[in-house]
Amino acid sequence: MTVAASLFPDWTFKETSALHLLVHMPLNCGQSDTEISNTLLQHEIVTQSLSSLYIENPTQQGLILGYSSTPASVIIQKLAKWHAII
């Protein structure tokens, strides 16, 4: 968690009991979570946009990183790669 916060100090990272990392985007980010997720995918970083999981408005903007089968070390590697490309 501290690695994520040090790489992206304006973003809010939350560990969850479902073994993934939930990232809430800053309001002044300038892109939607879907746009960011698509950009990251071009760099082989797979995320799920939080807004795509909502049925009704208002939605929240954010990203889901990893899931139960993704080791924490892989998530940290992908965060470092993400930080390098922005």
Side-chain angles (χ1 to χ4, degrees), residues 11 25-33 35-36 61:
W11 296 57
M25 300 165 46
L27 295 176
N28 61 350
C29 182
Q31 291 183 300
S32 72
D33 59 353
E35 291 170 320
I36 293 172
Q61 295 283 308

Side-chain angles (χ1 to χ4, degrees), residues 1-17:
M1 182 68 74
T2 58
V3 172
S6 68
L7 292 174
F8 300 93
D10 295 336
W11 296 57
T12 304
F13 292 83
K14 294 183 180 180
E15 293 182 43
T16 69
S17 60

Side-chain angles (χ1 to χ4, degrees), residues 4-62:
S6 68
L7 292 174
F8 300 93
D10 295 336
W11 296 57
T12 304
F13 292 83
K14 294 183 180 180
E15 293 182 43
T16 69
S17 60
L19 303 176
H20 61 268
L21 190 62
L22 177 59
V23 184
H24 287 282
M25 300 165 46
L27 295 176
N28 61 350
C29 182
Q31 291 183 300
S32 72
D33 59 353
T34 303
E35 291 170 320
I36 293 172
S37 183
N38 289 336
T39 298
L40 292 174
L41 186 58
Q42 294 172 8
H43 296 277
E44 300 178 348
I45 302 171
V46 179
T47 63
Q48 174 70 49
S49 61
L50 185 59
S51 66
S52 69
L53 302 176
Y54 283 79
I55 296 172
E56 297 179 358
N57 287 326
T59 64
Q60 291 186 27
Q61 295 283 308

